[in-house]
Amino acid sequence: MLRKKECVAMLLAGGQGSRLYALTNNIAKPAVAFGAKYRIIDFPLSNCINSGIDTVGVLTQYEPLELNEYIGNGQPWDLDRAFGGVHILSPYQAKKKQSWFEGTANAIYQNMHFMKKYNPDYVLILSGDHIYKMDYAAMLRAHKATGADCTIAAIEVPMKEAPRFGILNTNADGTIYEFEEKPKVPKSNLASMGIYIFTAEKLFKYLEEDEANPNSSKDFGKDILPTMLAAGEKMFSYRFKGYWKDVGTISSLWESNMDLLGADPAFDVSSNDWKIHSRNPLAPPEYVGEKAVIENALVALGCEIEGTVQNSVLASNVIVEEGAVVRDSVIMAGTVVKAGAVVDYSIIDENVTIEKGATVGEPKAKGVGIAVLGRGITVAEGASVAGGKILDKDYKGE
Amino acid sequence: MARSTVGVIFSNIHDENIPEISSHRTMASVPFGGRYRLIDFALSNMVNSGITTVGIVTKNNYQSLIDHLGSGKDWDLARKDGGIILLPPYSNETDKPYSTRLEALMGITSFLRHRNEDYVVISDCDGIAHMNIGDIVNYHEEKGADITMVYHEEKEPSESSYFITLQPDQEGRITGLKINPSDLKKGKKYNLYINIMIMSREFLINTIQSAVQRGFSSFGRDILAKKVNTLKIYGYEFKGYYAAVDSLQDYYKHSMELLNKPVREELFGARDIYTKVRDSAPSKYLTGAVVKDSLISDGCVIEGTVENCILFRGVKIGKGTQVKNCVLMQDTVIGENVKLESVITDKNVVIRDRRTLAGCAELPYFVSKGRML
């Protein structure tokens, strides 16, 4: 019997995430830390395994080192499999040519051999940019039930935000009659989530045709989907209701982290029925000291908190010394906030040192904007980083 | 690096020390320090010293231990060659499972024979320490010892049922060895053997064989105590933090010691202590939470007041609740407006709203696994 997988997932993880500025200087966006112990890619990977999809190709291009290391053999997601599992797919040199991935469609095209190895009936295309929990198996059932050639997951967004998305115009039965990429005047507020299920043979056919077309930008949203629609293929929308957030900007990344806080959070990572798997830090339980004040916070292992932490998300091994204050902020692993320092309304990357008495950011109520400190930098003793400022080098003050 | 050393861990010996917690599990799988089991310390010390094969001797109640260890991957011990090897008791129709350490060793001779490492380190699970096994192996080699026994200087004589004191000479050679001496005085210092010893694999196999021929039954009485003058037995003094879990009071005392920064730094700071990964969410502190001087593990949700406590993974503390000087094991759920002082709860305990429970430092109140109060 031919060994096969019914559905193979292809996860586009090559994006630079340039709107995250200093946070993606040296790492790909899907590897950006999120929610105290996760990275963005944990969400699509966990969704895959929880949906019973155990074969995932992760397409990397921009600064892949850390992402590759993080995914490793896939064991934290139960994706270390003898047949299937998670595989990193990087651009490669071939006999005829060598090339970077030129667009989302081209990236998938270049890895056709990977998909074909599993002889799949369906291919699920994902991106590594979003925080959400979704049962792809339910979407696949819908795809099969409608007999679609392509099913696009879609979510209703506020009308005023619709021009930022690919908008689906659909009939009452969910069939798509028009696809508009970032329309100025949207006809509907049904946004594409960038999650597609294709019937494999159709996908392969259109990828090959698109590759041969010199005028194509080799993009799913701009080329493949409109071409399929024009050719009269059956394209359905699949309505998703639930939390879904693009964390591609500083403010959306901050908001999404804050959405985890509270007794009844907008997005719950703690439920056991849809577990979010991740590579776990090797660290002891966090220690909260004698003089600490800690309220409305999410804290990972290995932290040592002697100061005040409010409305914040702290990743593993963060140290907040006595008298230091962290408010309305996201602090990534290994960062040290020394005695008397104040961090307000900021995102601080990994292994940053904020020396004694320094201030970073300004109170959220002032509305100045989120301060961002890039990986590994030091803010000198007593220095003051203004709200909204983005730094990727050591800072000694103005 | 103790590269050419194989580890052997006894998971059951000392089970009787804390019957409250180990009645339904091995000593090895007694939870400790928020997210660990006692065996994690012995295993991590071995792994961090470069040991890649560890045989784990089990006797009974080892289901929770097997569940904890899994394939060994969380300790980096899922190996093609070696890794974690469970050694369940060997018995046939006439024999009972082993009742002494020597009998247990007899049962694992084929495991020892099939290995090719030069040395064997034998460790129990009752001790909590951060120890470099490689240093002890080097010492053993340097001294040309037959057996090296690790000891720790203790001021208070232990109250455990079975213990050994050592008298080393200036060179470290053991010249006197007493089993369960009755003349211990409080306040005086003793070199207490801490149940870790090293010998060459060949020496161990030969010793076991001759013990079988002579019908010996006790490693301590028949071999160590009798041959202290003929064998080259050396003592290696471990000078770091060492906590032996000899009783529930001890367990409680040593748990609370983790709130001291130097202890925490010594145990967790320099090296990693590996344990089973549970993929819990980060711990969550809600509005109204007050937490002081406590260790909090992943998956906890805290809405009340927590002071001087060790909270294991997944513990929930309700609104208006006050817990003080408590050790709350995995998935303990404390309702609202509860008052707890000096309480140890085992796994999956539920304390309902408005209950009050109190023990004291000398005698913590213990709530056994899965109880609902």
Side-chain angles (χ1 to χ4, degrees):
Chain A
M1 200 184 88
L2 189 61
R3 291 224 286 177
K4 65 176 283 146
K5 295 281 180 188
E6 186 189 28
C7 183
V8 167
M10 299 294 275
L11 204 164
L12 295 157
Q16 182 180 351
S18 54
R19 285 171 305 150
L20 289 176
Y21 304 99
L23 301 178
T24 49
N25 273 355
N26 307 106
I27 62 169
K29 181 160 124 186
V32 168
F34 176 83
K37 72 170 285 204
Y38 306 100
R39 291 179 189 250
I40 296 169
I41 198 164
D42 287 329
F43 294 86
L45 284 181
S46 298
N47 288 341
C48 278
I49 195 70
N50 292 341
S51 305
I53 295 170
D54 66 3
T55 306
V56 186
V58 178
L59 294 97
T60 63
Q61 177 150 299
Y62 174 79
E63 291 284 355
L65 181 68
E66 189 156 322
L67 186 62
N68 293 354
E69 193 182 317
Y70 185 70
I71 292 173
N73 69 350
Q75 182 267 319
W77 304 269
D78 244 347
L79 286 170
D80 52 335
R81 301 297 174 99
F83 182 64
V86 65
H87 295 266
I88 301 278
L89 304 169
S90 323
Y92 57 92
Q93 190 172 23
K95 199 162 191 180
K96 283 190 209 138
K97 58 168 190 170
Q98 57 182 57
S99 61
W100 296 99
F101 298 153
E102 282 163 38
T104 51
N106 175 258
I108 303 291
Y109 170 81
Q110 288 203 37
N111 290 291
M112 197 90 97
H113 59 287
F114 171 80
M115 295 181 280
K116 285 185 172 168
K117 190 170 90 176
Y118 297 102
N119 190 29
D121 299 325
Y122 307 99
V123 176
L124 168 67
I125 308 285
L126 301 168
S127 70
D129 302 345
H130 298 92
I131 302 296
Y132 64 113
K133 294 194 265 190
M134 181 176 177
D135 185 1
Y136 303 139
M139 182 175 168
L140 182 59
R141 283 195 294 276
H143 179 84
K144 287 194 261 187
T146 56
D149 299 304
C150 172
T151 300
I152 302 175
I155 189 167
E156 285 182 31
V157 296
M159 206 62 185
K160 67 176 180 16
E161 284 183 34
R164 297 199 300 124
F165 294 92
I167 294 296
L168 307 178
N169 297 319
T170 59
N171 299 312
D173 65 351
T175 50
I176 300 165
Y177 66 86
E178 192 182 21
F179 188 84
E180 292 182 290
E181 186 68 19
K182 296 181 179 148
K184 285 206 177 75
V185 188
K187 293 187 198 117
S188 94
N189 64 341
L190 197 59
S192 162
M193 297 163 69
I195 298 165
Y196 319 118
I197 292 178
F198 289 93
T199 300
E201 57 191 82
K202 292 281 181 180
L203 175 69
F204 298 159
K205 171 176 177 280
Y206 282 94
L207 282 177
E208 266 158 26
E209 286 174 15
D210 185 68
E211 190 61 23
N213 176 4
N215 299 320
S216 169
S217 59
K218 301 185 168 67
D219 185 83
F220 272 97
K222 291 188 195 112
D223 305 292
I224 300 282
L225 300 177
T227 309
M228 281 181 78
L229 199 60
E233 302 291 1
K234 272 176 94 176
M235 299 178 81
F236 276 80
S237 64
Y238 173 80
R239 293 284 188 110
F240 174 76
K241 290 196 177 75
Y243 186 92
W244 177 76
K245 194 144 196 157
D246 182 339
V247 285
T249 64
I250 295 293
S251 61
S252 65
L253 180 64
W254 183 89
E255 277 166 26
S256 199
N257 271 287
M258 294 300 144
D259 285 342
L260 305 172
L261 296 177
D264 186 18
F267 186 61
D268 187 9
V269 284
S270 63
S271 66
N272 275 330
D273 50 352
W274 198 266
K275 220 169 201 183
I276 304 303
H277 305 281
S278 68
R279 205 168 272 282
N280 285 256
L282 264 177
E286 70 252 23
Y287 175 75
V288 181
E290 205 78 62
K291 292 177 183 161
V293 174
I294 180 163
E295 254 194 312
N296 197 32
L298 206 60
V299 178
L301 294 170
C303 288
E304 295 263 336
I305 298 161
E306 303 274 1
T308 298
V309 175
Q310 285 165 326
N311 308 325
S312 294
V313 173
L314 270 56
S316 58
N317 300 314
V318 166
I319 297 172
V320 180
E321 291 186 356
E322 200 175 318
V325 179
V326 174
R327 269 187 302 248
D328 301 308
S329 293
V330 177
I331 317 276
M332 299 183 190
T335 284
V336 182
V337 183
K338 294 209 172 155
V342 177
V343 177
D344 256 310
Y345 198 34
S346 299
I347 299 181
I348 317 279
D349 207 338
E350 292 174 14
N351 300 319
V352 167
T353 306
I354 298 165
E355 294 287 357
K356 280 181 191 164
T359 61
V360 176
E362 288 169 56
K364 183 167 170 277
K366 277 183 140 185
V368 188
I370 299 165
V372 178
L373 301 185
R375 189 174 282 212
I377 70 170
T378 299
V379 176
E381 192 170 333
S384 173
V385 178
K389 195 144 188 151
I390 295 174
L391 296 177
D392 59 3
K393 287 189 180 68
D394 289 354
Y395 185 78
K396 294 201 166 70
E398 301 277 297
Chain B
M1 287 278 280
R3 197 172 46 246
S4 193
T5 305
V6 58
V8 171
I9 293 179
F10 282 86
S11 66
N12 282 90
I13 289 180
H14 312 292
D15 278 5
E16 69 286 354
N17 286 0
I18 34 172
E20 297 89 342
I21 302 177
S22 62
S23 62
H24 54 88
R25 49 167 83 93
T26 62
M27 191 71 179
S29 45
V30 166
F32 186 81
R35 60 189 303 260
Y36 305 99
R37 306 279 186 146
L38 287 182
I39 196 173
D40 292 336
F41 294 90
L43 261 184
S44 299
N45 283 336
M46 290 186 181
V47 169
N48 287 330
S49 305
I51 292 175
T52 57
T53 302
V54 183
I56 296 180
V57 183
T58 60
K59 186 175 177 188
N60 41 34
N61 293 339
Y62 52 87
Q63 188 207 325
S64 67
L65 179 64
I66 290 177
D67 176 55
H68 180 67
L69 295 173
S71 66
K73 63 180 187 282
D74 290 327
W75 295 263
D76 209 8
L77 285 175
R79 302 284 180 117
K80 249 183 182 169
D81 175 25
I84 279 185
I85 296 167
L86 279 173
L87 303 167
Y90 175 84
S91 64
N92 54 31
E93 283 167 22
T94 51
D95 293 341
K96 282 184 193 150
Y98 69 84
S99 59
T100 69
R101 187 189 300 276
L102 186 58
E103 285 171 20
L105 285 169
M106 291 169 184
I108 67 162
T109 30
S110 74
F111 163 75
L112 293 170
R113 276 210 188 92
H114 282 100
R115 297 307 311 169
N116 55 12
E117 287 84 356
D118 296 334
Y119 298 103
V120 184
V121 53
I122 298 175
S123 173
D124 291 353
C125 286
D126 60 326
I128 297 142
H130 166 200
M131 194 179 291
N132 187 339
I133 308 287
D135 290 348
I136 310 170
V137 175
N138 289 345
Y139 176 90
H140 179 85
E141 262 184 342
E142 250 170 52
K143 296 288 179 189
D146 292 320
I147 299 174
T148 296
M149 299 174 76
V150 182
Y151 66 86
H152 189 252
E153 200 180 75
E154 299 277 346
K155 287 193 192 88
E156 302 251 324
S158 159
E159 287 174 16
S160 72
S161 55
Y162 183 89
F163 60 98
I164 296 174
T165 58
L166 305 177
Q167 283 120 37
D169 67 12
Q170 280 180 330
E171 294 298 309
R173 184 160 175 177
I174 304 298
T175 53
L177 186 152
K178 286 184 186 164
I179 296 171
N180 293 347
S182 52
D183 55 346
L184 293 183
K185 292 184 192 78
K186 277 223 171 201
K188 209 183 154 216
K189 287 178 183 172
Y190 293 93
N191 296 320
L192 199 72
Y193 168 57
I194 57 175
N195 303 316
I196 297 168
M197 68 175 133
I198 286 178
M199 57 199 106
S200 76
R201 195 169 53 85
E202 198 189 343
F203 176 84
L204 178 58
I205 292 169
N206 293 341
T207 304
I208 295 168
Q209 264 182 335
S210 75
V212 171
Q213 285 157 6
R214 288 168 204 191
F216 290 165
S217 64
S218 163
F219 200 88
R221 286 194 179 83
D222 297 334
I223 296 166
L224 297 173
K226 274 193 190 143
K227 299 195 171 174
V228 69
N229 293 316
T230 48
L231 289 175
K232 280 189 279 179
I233 303 179
Y234 277 79
Y236 176 92
E237 185 181 2
F238 176 68
K239 290 183 173 146
Y241 173 83
Y242 177 80
V245 180
D246 285 339
S247 62
L248 190 67
Q249 285 88 324
D250 262 358
Y251 175 85
Y252 182 66
K253 185 180 111 190
H254 296 314
S255 292
M256 288 302 165
E257 279 168 1
L258 293 174
L259 298 177
N260 301 335
K261 195 167 182 174
V263 172
R264 242 180 10 254
E265 280 186 343
E266 185 176 335
L267 281 180
F268 305 120
R271 275 184 177 178
D272 297 320
I273 304 294
Y274 304 91
T275 190
K276 185 188 179 185
V277 164
R278 208 175 83 139
D279 270 352
S280 308
S283 52
K284 191 182 258 187
Y285 301 77
L286 300 177
T287 305
V290 176
V291 183
K292 306 276 180 205
D293 196 23
S294 295
L295 268 188
I296 314 288
S297 305
D298 40 346
C300 288
V301 179
I302 302 171
E303 202 168 0
T305 300
V306 177
E307 275 182 74
N308 290 60
C309 291
I310 312 286
L311 267 51
F312 282 66
R313 298 193 258 206
V315 170
K316 310 271 186 296
I317 306 285
K319 206 174 175 173
T321 285
Q322 295 188 332
V323 291
K324 213 173 164 185
N325 305 327
C326 292
V327 177
L328 308 179
M329 291 188 206
Q330 197 166 306
D331 297 324
T332 292
V333 176
I334 314 283
E336 297 184 358
N337 302 308
V338 173
K339 274 198 171 142
L340 298 185
E341 190 164 346
S342 303
V343 172
I344 300 178
T345 60
D346 204 326
K347 281 173 73 175
N348 299 314
V349 163
V350 177
I351 311 277
R352 278 180 281 202
D353 296 353
R354 295 179 300 280
R355 295 287 189 276
T356 300
L357 295 176
C360 58
E362 294 73 38
L363 195 63
Y365 189 99
F366 180 77
V367 186
S368 59
K369 188 174 172 181
R371 278 192 71 190
M372 193 183 272
L373 293 178

